[in-house]
Amino acid sequence: ISDCFKPYFVNKYLFTGAESTGKTTLINRLINETDLFKESLSLFVPEYAYQFIKTKKELKSSDIPLLFSAQDTLINEASKTSEGVLLCDSSAITTKAYAQQMFPQEYEEIPSYLQEYVNKQKFEMVFLFKPDKHIAFFEDVHRNKTDDYENKRMEIFLKIKSELDVLNQRYLIIEGTYEERFQQIKMFFSSISN
């Protein structure tokens, strides 16, 4: 299959939700601890915003369009070399939710050209990670622990859930301890591989 057609034949799975709920950790566990996927450099699509913020140290509202386009590019480029499955650590849906939370004056209404990224990204399944008492918040370079961070995490979860509902996108809510979350996702992939 030619590279330009490959993205149409790749099964993309999105791991999204609130900060510090185990998304990246569980993607790595799936790749390293199970036989569900073949090793592949294109299997895992990282979160562009993480590297951007780590390098730049500060996120401005004017950076948001770049986060949309760069994450989309990462997914598209990985689709061209994938062996059939992509595990995506972020998406336009995620970027939209965080833009609206961090910069409400500028992004309460998302411009149509950015909403197009949200509308066009389709996933076989979205794993929506819910914050709860079982998962502690770990500070990181791209996280801002405020006094009301638990409310902020739930707000992000609900924003993403609402967007998925509007898009009629299939999703599973992932909750519980790290091990329970891992087993929920592992069970899903085991059921579709049989």
Side-chain angles (χ1 to χ4, degrees), residues 17-26 47 49-51 53-54 57-59 89 98 101-102 129 135-146 149 152-153 178:
E19 294 177 312
S20 196
T21 51
K23 300 178 295 291
T24 307
T25 301
L26 293 186
E47 178 186 17
Y50 173 78
Q51 198 58 45
I53 296 167
K54 186 176 177 183
K57 304 291 188 221
E58 180 186 2
L59 183 66
D89 198 4
Y98 278 98
Q101 185 185 70
M102 295 175 71
F129 284 63
I135 304 293
F137 184 93
F138 290 102
E139 294 195 54
D140 202 342
V141 67
H142 70 310
R143 296 181 185 143
N144 185 18
K145 187 172 183 178
T146 60
Y149 73 94
K152 295 284 189 189
R153 291 204 303 166
Y178 281 112

Side-chain angles (χ1 to χ4, degrees), residues 95 108 155:
T95 304
E108 181 179 353
E155 182 182 302

